[in-house]
Amino acid sequence: MLHGPNLNLLGLREPQHYGRDTLDDINRRLQEQAAAAGIELDALQSNAESVLIDRIHACLGDGTDLVIINPAAFTHTSVALRDALAGVKVPFIEVHLSNVHAREAFRHHSYFSDLAVGVICGLGAHGYELALAHAIKRLAQPA
Ligand code: DQA
């Protein structure tokens, strides 16, 4: 589970868009969901593009089956993060807390969506749990 920039501020940050759950709340629920399904979940938040890129590169050798990513503002800016996911060829699900399509025009374009297995946006923190539920199902029945 990769969380992009400023998501460490969840709980404080613009709750009208992002809700009141903290990143720890979200990660805790995801860890419980993963443990109940018998899968290992590694969660990382970074404000640095290079840290996220390096973690994606590490998927090449660490047995990662799938990535759930909220690229946050990098969604709309980062060719480098897109290229990392494309280069490693790891399947990924893109998640946004807010409905980016109902917000400013610059949030309507994503550098990730056309490569993603699927995209969830606008469902708040529940979107992460839905993405993980899909990942669990997919891992049990590989395509
Ligand atoms: C976000 C939407 C982005 O536009 C924004 O820059 C974020 C969070 C979301 O989860 O709704 O930081 O990815």
Side-chain angles (χ1 to χ4, degrees):
M1 173 73 240
L2 293 178
H3 303 278
N6 300 306
L7 295 175
N8 54 310
L9 298 180
L10 287 179
L12 296 172
R13 178 189 179 207
E14 299 180 273
Q16 71 279 17
H17 291 306
Y18 304 122
R20 296 264 175 210
D21 286 339
T22 66
L23 195 62
D24 282 348
D25 295 333
I26 291 168
N27 282 334
R28 192 177 337 103
R29 286 199 298 267
L30 293 177
Q31 290 294 358
E32 286 169 7
Q33 191 181 347
I39 66 162
E40 194 182 324
L41 179 86
D42 182 34
L44 172 74
Q45 187 277 330
S46 183
N47 297 321
E49 203 172 18
S50 66
V51 172
L52 296 166
I53 290 169
D54 287 345
R55 183 64 190 87
I56 291 166
H57 290 178
C59 293
L60 274 177
D62 73 358
T64 298
D65 292 304
L66 188 138
V67 170
I68 300 170
I69 183 167
N70 183 346
F74 291 148
T75 306
H76 321 297
T77 64
S78 184
V79 176
L81 210 44
R82 172 197 171 90
D83 284 353
L85 287 160
V88 169
K89 287 205 179 88
V90 64
F92 69 93
I93 301 173
E94 177 182 350
V95 176
H96 301 283
L97 293 148
S98 64
N99 180 356
V100 285
H101 302 289
R103 299 181 62 195
E104 302 96 320
F106 66 81
R107 295 186 203 275
H108 297 178
H109 176 258
S110 164
Y111 279 104
F112 299 84
S113 299
D114 62 308
L115 299 180
V117 171
V119 182
I120 297 173
C121 76
L123 303 183
H126 189 48
Y128 295 109
E129 291 159 38
L130 295 172
L132 183 55
H134 184 78
I136 289 165
K137 190 172 173 205
R138 195 182 151 101
L139 295 180
Q141 306 165 323

PDB file of all heavy atoms in Angstrom, residues 64-99:
ATOM      1  N   THR A  64       6.110  -8.935  -4.354  1.00  0.00           N
ATOM      2  CA  THR A  64       4.854  -8.163  -4.334  1.00  0.00           C
ATOM      3  C   THR A  64       3.974  -8.599  -5.499  1.00  0.00           C
ATOM      4  O   THR A  64       4.406  -8.623  -6.651  1.00  0.00           O
ATOM      5  CB  THR A  64       5.150  -6.653  -4.454  1.00  0.00           C
ATOM      6  OG1 THR A  64       5.928  -6.251  -3.336  1.00  0.00           O
ATOM      7  CG2 THR A  64       3.853  -5.841  -4.495  1.00  0.00           C
ATOM      8  N   ASP A  65       2.717  -8.965  -5.181  1.00  0.00           N
ATOM      9  CA  ASP A  65       1.780  -9.396  -6.218  1.00  0.00           C
ATOM     10  C   ASP A  65       0.977  -8.232  -6.779  1.00  0.00           C
ATOM     11  O   ASP A  65       0.552  -8.266  -7.926  1.00  0.00           O
ATOM     12  CB  ASP A  65       0.795 -10.420  -5.643  1.00  0.00           C
ATOM     13  CG  ASP A  65       1.493 -11.714  -5.292  1.00  0.00           C
ATOM     14  OD1 ASP A  65       2.128 -12.299  -6.184  1.00  0.00           O
ATOM     15  OD2 ASP A  65       1.425 -12.125  -4.113  1.00  0.00           O
ATOM     16  N   LEU A  66       0.725  -7.241  -5.938  1.00  0.00           N
ATOM     17  CA  LEU A  66      -0.162  -6.151  -6.349  1.00  0.00           C
ATOM     18  C   LEU A  66       0.102  -4.930  -5.481  1.00  0.00           C
ATOM     19  O   LEU A  66       0.421  -5.068  -4.297  1.00  0.00           O
ATOM     20  CB  LEU A  66      -1.623  -6.600  -6.201  1.00  0.00           C
ATOM     21  CG  LEU A  66      -2.677  -5.651  -6.763  1.00  0.00           C
ATOM     22  CD1 LEU A  66      -3.763  -6.438  -7.513  1.00  0.00           C
ATOM     23  CD2 LEU A  66      -3.336  -4.840  -5.662  1.00  0.00           C
ATOM     24  N   VAL A  67      -0.044  -3.765  -6.068  1.00  0.00           N
ATOM     25  CA  VAL A  67       0.131  -2.506  -5.338  1.00  0.00           C
ATOM     26  C   VAL A  67      -1.206  -1.766  -5.325  1.00  0.00           C
ATOM     27  O   VAL A  67      -1.894  -1.706  -6.348  1.00  0.00           O
ATOM     28  CB  VAL A  67       1.207  -1.634  -6.029  1.00  0.00           C
ATOM     29  CG1 VAL A  67       1.243  -0.228  -5.455  1.00  0.00           C
ATOM     30  CG2 VAL A  67       2.583  -2.293  -5.919  1.00  0.00           C
ATOM     31  N   ILE A  68      -1.568  -1.243  -4.167  1.00  0.00           N
ATOM     32  CA  ILE A  68      -2.655  -0.266  -4.068  1.00  0.00           C
ATOM     33  C   ILE A  68      -1.961   1.071  -3.846  1.00  0.00           C
ATOM     34  O   ILE A  68      -1.087   1.171  -2.965  1.00  0.00           O
ATOM     35  CB  ILE A  68      -3.619  -0.595  -2.912  1.00  0.00           C
ATOM     36  CG1 ILE A  68      -4.242  -1.981  -3.110  1.00  0.00           C
ATOM     37  CG2 ILE A  68      -4.707   0.476  -2.794  1.00  0.00           C
ATOM     38  CD1 ILE A  68      -5.013  -2.496  -1.899  1.00  0.00           C
ATOM     39  N   ILE A  69      -2.285   2.051  -4.641  1.00  0.00           N
ATOM     40  CA  ILE A  69      -1.587   3.336  -4.535  1.00  0.00           C
ATOM     41  C   ILE A  69      -2.571   4.499  -4.579  1.00  0.00           C
ATOM     42  O   ILE A  69      -3.466   4.523  -5.431  1.00  0.00           O
ATOM     43  CB  ILE A  69      -0.515   3.482  -5.653  1.00  0.00           C
ATOM     44  CG1 ILE A  69       0.265   4.797  -5.502  1.00  0.00           C
ATOM     45  CG2 ILE A  69      -1.094   3.327  -7.053  1.00  0.00           C
ATOM     46  CD1 ILE A  69       1.535   4.877  -6.349  1.00  0.00           C
ATOM     47  N   ASN A  70      -2.404   5.395  -3.634  1.00  0.00           N
ATOM     48  CA  ASN A  70      -2.994   6.728  -3.755  1.00  0.00           C
ATOM     49  C   ASN A  70      -1.823   7.664  -4.021  1.00  0.00           C
ATOM     50  O   ASN A  70      -1.104   8.054  -3.088  1.00  0.00           O
ATOM     51  CB  ASN A  70      -3.735   7.145  -2.480  1.00  0.00           C
ATOM     52  CG  ASN A  70      -4.397   8.515  -2.652  1.00  0.00           C
ATOM     53  OD1 ASN A  70      -4.091   9.248  -3.587  1.00  0.00           O
ATOM     54  ND2 ASN A  70      -5.281   8.860  -1.726  1.00  0.00           N
ATOM     55  N   PRO A  71      -1.591   8.019  -5.279  1.00  0.00           N
ATOM     56  CA  PRO A  71      -0.432   8.860  -5.595  1.00  0.00           C
ATOM     57  C   PRO A  71      -0.613  10.303  -5.133  1.00  0.00           C
ATOM     58  O   PRO A  71       0.302  11.107  -5.280  1.00  0.00           O
ATOM     59  CB  PRO A  71      -0.351   8.786  -7.124  1.00  0.00           C
ATOM     60  CG  PRO A  71      -1.325   7.733  -7.570  1.00  0.00           C
ATOM     61  CD  PRO A  71      -2.343   7.629  -6.486  1.00  0.00           C
ATOM     62  N   ALA A  72      -1.805  10.630  -4.626  1.00  0.00           N
ATOM     63  CA  ALA A  72      -2.102  11.991  -4.142  1.00  0.00           C
ATOM     64  C   ALA A  72      -1.772  13.002  -5.242  1.00  0.00           C
ATOM     65  O   ALA A  72      -2.102  12.765  -6.403  1.00  0.00           O
ATOM     66  CB  ALA A  72      -1.409  12.251  -2.813  1.00  0.00           C
ATOM     67  N   ALA A  73      -1.090  14.097  -4.914  1.00  0.00           N
ATOM     68  CA  ALA A  73      -0.855  15.126  -5.942  1.00  0.00           C
ATOM     69  C   ALA A  73       0.006  14.611  -7.098  1.00  0.00           C
ATOM     70  O   ALA A  73      -0.091  15.130  -8.218  1.00  0.00           O
ATOM     71  CB  ALA A  73      -0.219  16.355  -5.307  1.00  0.00           C
ATOM     72  N   PHE A  74       0.814  13.561  -6.842  1.00  0.00           N
ATOM     73  CA  PHE A  74       1.622  13.008  -7.944  1.00  0.00           C
ATOM     74  C   PHE A  74       0.747  12.386  -9.032  1.00  0.00           C
ATOM     75  O   PHE A  74       1.215  12.184 -10.156  1.00  0.00           O
ATOM     76  CB  PHE A  74       2.618  11.963  -7.420  1.00  0.00           C
ATOM     77  CG  PHE A  74       3.732  12.516  -6.586  1.00  0.00           C
ATOM     78  CD1 PHE A  74       4.282  11.768  -5.546  1.00  0.00           C
ATOM     79  CD2 PHE A  74       4.262  13.773  -6.829  1.00  0.00           C
ATOM     80  CE1 PHE A  74       5.312  12.263  -4.767  1.00  0.00           C
ATOM     81  CE2 PHE A  74       5.303  14.287  -6.058  1.00  0.00           C
ATOM     82  CZ  PHE A  74       5.833  13.517  -5.018  1.00  0.00           C
ATOM     83  N   THR A  75      -0.507  12.090  -8.696  1.00  0.00           N
ATOM     84  CA  THR A  75      -1.469  11.590  -9.693  1.00  0.00           C
ATOM     85  C   THR A  75      -1.461  12.471 -10.938  1.00  0.00           C
ATOM     86  O   THR A  75      -1.533  11.982 -12.065  1.00  0.00           O
ATOM     87  CB  THR A  75      -2.902  11.653  -9.109  1.00  0.00           C
ATOM     88  OG1 THR A  75      -2.925  10.963  -7.875  1.00  0.00           O
ATOM     89  CG2 THR A  75      -3.929  11.072 -10.076  1.00  0.00           C
ATOM     90  N   HIS A  76      -1.392  13.768 -10.674  1.00  0.00           N
ATOM     91  CA  HIS A  76      -1.612  14.747 -11.739  1.00  0.00           C
ATOM     92  C   HIS A  76      -0.310  15.298 -12.318  1.00  0.00           C
ATOM     93  O   HIS A  76      -0.342  16.155 -13.194  1.00  0.00           O
ATOM     94  CB  HIS A  76      -2.455  15.917 -11.190  1.00  0.00           C
ATOM     95  CG  HIS A  76      -3.541  15.465 -10.254  1.00  0.00           C
ATOM     96  ND1 HIS A  76      -4.569  14.653 -10.663  1.00  0.00           N
ATOM     97  CD2 HIS A  76      -3.738  15.657  -8.917  1.00  0.00           C
ATOM     98  CE1 HIS A  76      -5.358  14.391  -9.618  1.00  0.00           C
ATOM     99  NE2 HIS A  76      -4.870  14.983  -8.553  1.00  0.00           N
ATOM    100  N   THR A  77       0.818  14.814 -11.794  1.00  0.00           N
ATOM    101  CA  THR A  77       2.099  15.402 -12.203  1.00  0.00           C
ATOM    102  C   THR A  77       3.183  14.397 -12.581  1.00  0.00           C
ATOM    103  O   THR A  77       4.107  14.753 -13.309  1.00  0.00           O
ATOM    104  CB  THR A  77       2.710  16.253 -11.060  1.00  0.00           C
ATOM    105  OG1 THR A  77       3.008  15.398  -9.951  1.00  0.00           O
ATOM    106  CG2 THR A  77       1.770  17.374 -10.628  1.00  0.00           C
ATOM    107  N   SER A  78       3.096  13.149 -12.090  1.00  0.00           N
ATOM    108  CA  SER A  78       4.314  12.338 -12.084  1.00  0.00           C
ATOM    109  C   SER A  78       4.406  11.293 -13.200  1.00  0.00           C
ATOM    110  O   SER A  78       3.926  10.157 -13.067  1.00  0.00           O
ATOM    111  CB  SER A  78       4.503  11.640 -10.734  1.00  0.00           C
ATOM    112  OG  SER A  78       5.728  10.940 -10.748  1.00  0.00           O
ATOM    113  N   VAL A  79       5.081  11.679 -14.263  1.00  0.00           N
ATOM    114  CA  VAL A  79       5.432  10.707 -15.297  1.00  0.00           C
ATOM    115  C   VAL A  79       6.418   9.687 -14.716  1.00  0.00           C
ATOM    116  O   VAL A  79       6.389   8.499 -15.054  1.00  0.00           O
ATOM    117  CB  VAL A  79       6.041  11.435 -16.516  1.00  0.00           C
ATOM    118  CG1 VAL A  79       6.503  10.441 -17.568  1.00  0.00           C
ATOM    119  CG2 VAL A  79       5.034  12.410 -17.123  1.00  0.00           C
ATOM    120  N   ALA A  80       7.277  10.133 -13.804  1.00  0.00           N
ATOM    121  CA  ALA A  80       8.302   9.245 -13.242  1.00  0.00           C
ATOM    122  C   ALA A  80       7.681   8.088 -12.444  1.00  0.00           C
ATOM    123  O   ALA A  80       8.115   6.932 -12.552  1.00  0.00           O
ATOM    124  CB  ALA A  80       9.251  10.049 -12.354  1.00  0.00           C
ATOM    125  N   LEU A  81       6.655   8.388 -11.683  1.00  0.00           N
ATOM    126  CA  LEU A  81       5.994   7.339 -10.892  1.00  0.00           C
ATOM    127  C   LEU A  81       5.212   6.407 -11.819  1.00  0.00           C
ATOM    128  O   LEU A  81       5.193   5.186 -11.634  1.00  0.00           O
ATOM    129  CB  LEU A  81       5.073   8.024  -9.875  1.00  0.00           C
ATOM    130  CG  LEU A  81       4.779   7.375  -8.534  1.00  0.00           C
ATOM    131  CD1 LEU A  81       6.001   6.798  -7.866  1.00  0.00           C
ATOM    132  CD2 LEU A  81       4.131   8.425  -7.622  1.00  0.00           C
ATOM    133  N   ARG A  82       4.587   6.969 -12.801  1.00  0.00           N
ATOM    134  CA  ARG A  82       3.902   6.149 -13.816  1.00  0.00           C
ATOM    135  C   ARG A  82       4.894   5.197 -14.477  1.00  0.00           C
ATOM    136  O   ARG A  82       4.639   4.006 -14.616  1.00  0.00           O
ATOM    137  CB  ARG A  82       3.273   7.065 -14.878  1.00  0.00           C
ATOM    138  CG  ARG A  82       2.718   6.321 -16.075  1.00  0.00           C
ATOM    139  CD  ARG A  82       2.485   7.237 -17.268  1.00  0.00           C
ATOM    140  NE  ARG A  82       2.149   6.480 -18.461  1.00  0.00           N
ATOM    141  CZ  ARG A  82       0.914   6.150 -18.832  1.00  0.00           C
ATOM    142  NH1 ARG A  82      -0.098   6.501 -18.094  1.00  0.00           N
ATOM    143  NH2 ARG A  82       0.689   5.450 -19.932  1.00  0.00           N
ATOM    144  N   ASP A  83       6.048   5.734 -14.879  1.00  0.00           N
ATOM    145  CA  ASP A  83       7.035   4.907 -15.572  1.00  0.00           C
ATOM    146  C   ASP A  83       7.571   3.806 -14.676  1.00  0.00           C
ATOM    147  O   ASP A  83       7.887   2.706 -15.144  1.00  0.00           O
ATOM    148  CB  ASP A  83       8.201   5.777 -16.068  1.00  0.00           C
ATOM    149  CG  ASP A  83       7.848   6.603 -17.303  1.00  0.00           C
ATOM    150  OD1 ASP A  83       6.747   6.416 -17.865  1.00  0.00           O
ATOM    151  OD2 ASP A  83       8.679   7.446 -17.697  1.00  0.00           O
ATOM    152  N   ALA A  84       7.674   4.090 -13.371  1.00  0.00           N
ATOM    153  CA  ALA A  84       8.145   3.063 -12.431  1.00  0.00           C
ATOM    154  C   ALA A  84       7.167   1.890 -12.404  1.00  0.00           C
ATOM    155  O   ALA A  84       7.569   0.716 -12.494  1.00  0.00           O
ATOM    156  CB  ALA A  84       8.305   3.663 -11.033  1.00  0.00           C
ATOM    157  N   LEU A  85       5.879   2.187 -12.302  1.00  0.00           N
ATOM    158  CA  LEU A  85       4.868   1.118 -12.265  1.00  0.00           C
ATOM    159  C   LEU A  85       4.847   0.356 -13.592  1.00  0.00           C
ATOM    160  O   LEU A  85       4.747  -0.872 -13.608  1.00  0.00           O
ATOM    161  CB  LEU A  85       3.494   1.713 -11.943  1.00  0.00           C
ATOM    162  CG  LEU A  85       3.327   2.163 -10.484  1.00  0.00           C
ATOM    163  CD1 LEU A  85       2.173   3.153 -10.348  1.00  0.00           C
ATOM    164  CD2 LEU A  85       3.115   0.958  -9.565  1.00  0.00           C
ATOM    165  N   ALA A  86       4.950   1.097 -14.684  1.00  0.00           N
ATOM    166  CA  ALA A  86       4.950   0.443 -15.993  1.00  0.00           C
ATOM    167  C   ALA A  86       6.205  -0.407 -16.171  1.00  0.00           C
ATOM    168  O   ALA A  86       6.146  -1.514 -16.716  1.00  0.00           O
ATOM    169  CB  ALA A  86       4.862   1.493 -17.098  1.00  0.00           C
ATOM    170  N   GLY A  87       7.334   0.095 -15.666  1.00  0.00           N
ATOM    171  CA  GLY A  87       8.603  -0.609 -15.830  1.00  0.00           C
ATOM    172  C   GLY A  87       8.650  -1.905 -15.053  1.00  0.00           C
ATOM    173  O   GLY A  87       9.156  -2.930 -15.535  1.00  0.00           O
ATOM    174  N   VAL A  88       8.105  -1.886 -13.857  1.00  0.00           N
ATOM    175  CA  VAL A  88       8.122  -3.068 -12.987  1.00  0.00           C
ATOM    176  C   VAL A  88       6.997  -4.027 -13.381  1.00  0.00           C
ATOM    177  O   VAL A  88       7.038  -5.204 -13.042  1.00  0.00           O
ATOM    178  CB  VAL A  88       8.030  -2.603 -11.508  1.00  0.00           C
ATOM    179  CG1 VAL A  88       7.768  -3.730 -10.564  1.00  0.00           C
ATOM    180  CG2 VAL A  88       9.316  -1.869 -11.127  1.00  0.00           C
ATOM    181  N   LYS A  89       6.002  -3.488 -14.076  1.00  0.00           N
ATOM    182  CA  LYS A  89       4.855  -4.280 -14.542  1.00  0.00           C
ATOM    183  C   LYS A  89       4.099  -4.915 -13.382  1.00  0.00           C
ATOM    184  O   LYS A  89       3.608  -6.035 -13.506  1.00  0.00           O
ATOM    185  CB  LYS A  89       5.306  -5.385 -15.501  1.00  0.00           C
ATOM    186  CG  LYS A  89       5.728  -4.911 -16.878  1.00  0.00           C
ATOM    187  CD  LYS A  89       5.544  -6.081 -17.857  1.00  0.00           C
ATOM    188  CE  LYS A  89       5.905  -5.747 -19.267  1.00  0.00           C
ATOM    189  NZ  LYS A  89       7.308  -5.964 -19.597  1.00  0.00           N
ATOM    190  N   VAL A  90       4.035  -4.235 -12.262  1.00  0.00           N
ATOM    191  CA  VAL A  90       3.262  -4.760 -11.136  1.00  0.00           C
ATOM    192  C   VAL A  90       1.816  -4.262 -11.294  1.00  0.00           C
ATOM    193  O   VAL A  90       1.595  -3.076 -11.580  1.00  0.00           O
ATOM    194  CB  VAL A  90       3.893  -4.331  -9.781  1.00  0.00           C
ATOM    195  CG1 VAL A  90       3.861  -2.831  -9.558  1.00  0.00           C
ATOM    196  CG2 VAL A  90       3.253  -5.050  -8.614  1.00  0.00           C
ATOM    197  N   PRO A  91       0.827  -5.175 -11.185  1.00  0.00           N
ATOM    198  CA  PRO A  91      -0.547  -4.697 -11.271  1.00  0.00           C
ATOM    199  C   PRO A  91      -0.859  -3.751 -10.117  1.00  0.00           C
ATOM    200  O   PRO A  91      -0.389  -3.982  -8.990  1.00  0.00           O
ATOM    201  CB  PRO A  91      -1.407  -5.969 -11.165  1.00  0.00           C
ATOM    202  CG  PRO A  91      -0.495  -7.114 -11.083  1.00  0.00           C
ATOM    203  CD  PRO A  91       0.914  -6.611 -10.909  1.00  0.00           C
ATOM    204  N   PHE A  92      -1.618  -2.704 -10.386  1.00  0.00           N
ATOM    205  CA  PHE A  92      -1.919  -1.776  -9.295  1.00  0.00           C
ATOM    206  C   PHE A  92      -3.345  -1.249  -9.397  1.00  0.00           C
ATOM    207  O   PHE A  92      -3.936  -1.193 -10.482  1.00  0.00           O
ATOM    208  CB  PHE A  92      -0.904  -0.611  -9.259  1.00  0.00           C
ATOM    209  CG  PHE A  92      -1.004   0.354 -10.398  1.00  0.00           C
ATOM    210  CD1 PHE A  92      -1.783   1.503 -10.311  1.00  0.00           C
ATOM    211  CD2 PHE A  92      -0.316   0.124 -11.571  1.00  0.00           C
ATOM    212  CE1 PHE A  92      -1.872   2.400 -11.376  1.00  0.00           C
ATOM    213  CE2 PHE A  92      -0.396   1.009 -12.644  1.00  0.00           C
ATOM    214  CZ  PHE A  92      -1.179   2.160 -12.535  1.00  0.00           C
ATOM    215  N   ILE A  93      -3.874  -0.907  -8.238  1.00  0.00           N
ATOM    216  CA  ILE A  93      -5.193  -0.281  -8.124  1.00  0.00           C
ATOM    217  C   ILE A  93      -4.961   1.140  -7.622  1.00  0.00           C
ATOM    218  O   ILE A  93      -4.228   1.346  -6.644  1.00  0.00           O
ATOM    219  CB  ILE A  93      -6.108  -1.058  -7.147  1.00  0.00           C
ATOM    220  CG1 ILE A  93      -6.283  -2.508  -7.624  1.00  0.00           C
ATOM    221  CG2 ILE A  93      -7.471  -0.361  -7.010  1.00  0.00           C
ATOM    222  CD1 ILE A  93      -7.037  -3.400  -6.642  1.00  0.00           C
ATOM    223  N   GLU A  94      -5.566   2.111  -8.311  1.00  0.00           N
ATOM    224  CA  GLU A  94      -5.431   3.536  -7.953  1.00  0.00           C
ATOM    225  C   GLU A  94      -6.622   3.932  -7.077  1.00  0.00           C
ATOM    226  O   GLU A  94      -7.769   3.655  -7.436  1.00  0.00           O
ATOM    227  CB  GLU A  94      -5.421   4.354  -9.252  1.00  0.00           C
ATOM    228  CG  GLU A  94      -5.366   5.857  -9.057  1.00  0.00           C
ATOM    229  CD  GLU A  94      -5.408   6.605 -10.401  1.00  0.00           C
ATOM    230  OE1 GLU A  94      -5.292   5.968 -11.475  1.00  0.00           O
ATOM    231  OE2 GLU A  94      -5.585   7.841 -10.362  1.00  0.00           O
ATOM    232  N   VAL A  95      -6.334   4.546  -5.955  1.00  0.00           N
ATOM    233  CA  VAL A  95      -7.393   4.951  -5.018  1.00  0.00           C
ATOM    234  C   VAL A  95      -7.254   6.441  -4.708  1.00  0.00           C
ATOM    235  O   VAL A  95      -6.137   6.945  -4.508  1.00  0.00           O
ATOM    236  CB  VAL A  95      -7.312   4.149  -3.698  1.00  0.00           C
ATOM    237  CG1 VAL A  95      -8.349   4.652  -2.686  1.00  0.00           C
ATOM    238  CG2 VAL A  95      -7.520   2.660  -3.947  1.00  0.00           C
ATOM    239  N   HIS A  96      -8.382   7.129  -4.678  1.00  0.00           N
ATOM    240  CA  HIS A  96      -8.438   8.505  -4.177  1.00  0.00           C
ATOM    241  C   HIS A  96      -9.569   8.605  -3.172  1.00  0.00           C
ATOM    242  O   HIS A  96     -10.664   8.077  -3.420  1.00  0.00           O
ATOM    243  CB  HIS A  96      -8.686   9.505  -5.317  1.00  0.00           C
ATOM    244  CG  HIS A  96      -7.629   9.426  -6.364  1.00  0.00           C
ATOM    245  ND1 HIS A  96      -6.381   9.973  -6.184  1.00  0.00           N
ATOM    246  CD2 HIS A  96      -7.614   8.814  -7.568  1.00  0.00           C
ATOM    247  CE1 HIS A  96      -5.643   9.718  -7.253  1.00  0.00           C
ATOM    248  NE2 HIS A  96      -6.363   9.010  -8.105  1.00  0.00           N
ATOM    249  N   LEU A  97      -9.306   9.299  -2.097  1.00  0.00           N
ATOM    250  CA  LEU A  97     -10.348   9.513  -1.087  1.00  0.00           C
ATOM    251  C   LEU A  97     -11.492  10.346  -1.651  1.00  0.00           C
ATOM    252  O   LEU A  97     -12.670  10.035  -1.467  1.00  0.00           O
ATOM    253  CB  LEU A  97      -9.734  10.229   0.118  1.00  0.00           C
ATOM    254  CG  LEU A  97      -8.717   9.423   0.910  1.00  0.00           C
ATOM    255  CD1 LEU A  97      -7.653  10.321   1.495  1.00  0.00           C
ATOM    256  CD2 LEU A  97      -9.413   8.615   1.988  1.00  0.00           C
ATOM    257  N   SER A  98     -11.133  11.421  -2.312  1.00  0.00           N
ATOM    258  CA  SER A  98     -12.133  12.355  -2.825  1.00  0.00           C
ATOM    259  C   SER A  98     -12.510  11.985  -4.257  1.00  0.00           C
ATOM    260  O   SER A  98     -11.771  11.255  -4.937  1.00  0.00           O
ATOM    261  CB  SER A  98     -11.586  13.786  -2.781  1.00  0.00           C
ATOM    262  OG  SER A  98     -10.470  13.916  -3.646  1.00  0.00           O
ATOM    263  N   ASN A  99     -13.632  12.512  -4.702  1.00  0.00           N
ATOM    264  CA  ASN A  99     -14.022  12.343  -6.104  1.00  0.00           C
ATOM    265  C   ASN A  99     -13.298  13.414  -6.907  1.00  0.00           C
ATOM    266  O   ASN A  99     -13.782  14.547  -7.042  1.00  0.00           O
ATOM    267  CB  ASN A  99     -15.535  12.460  -6.257  1.00  0.00           C
ATOM    268  CG  ASN A  99     -15.950  12.294  -7.717  1.00  0.00           C
ATOM    269  OD1 ASN A  99     -15.097  12.173  -8.600  1.00  0.00           O
ATOM    270  ND2 ASN A  99     -17.236  12.299  -7.964  1.00  0.00           N
TER     271      ASN A  99
END
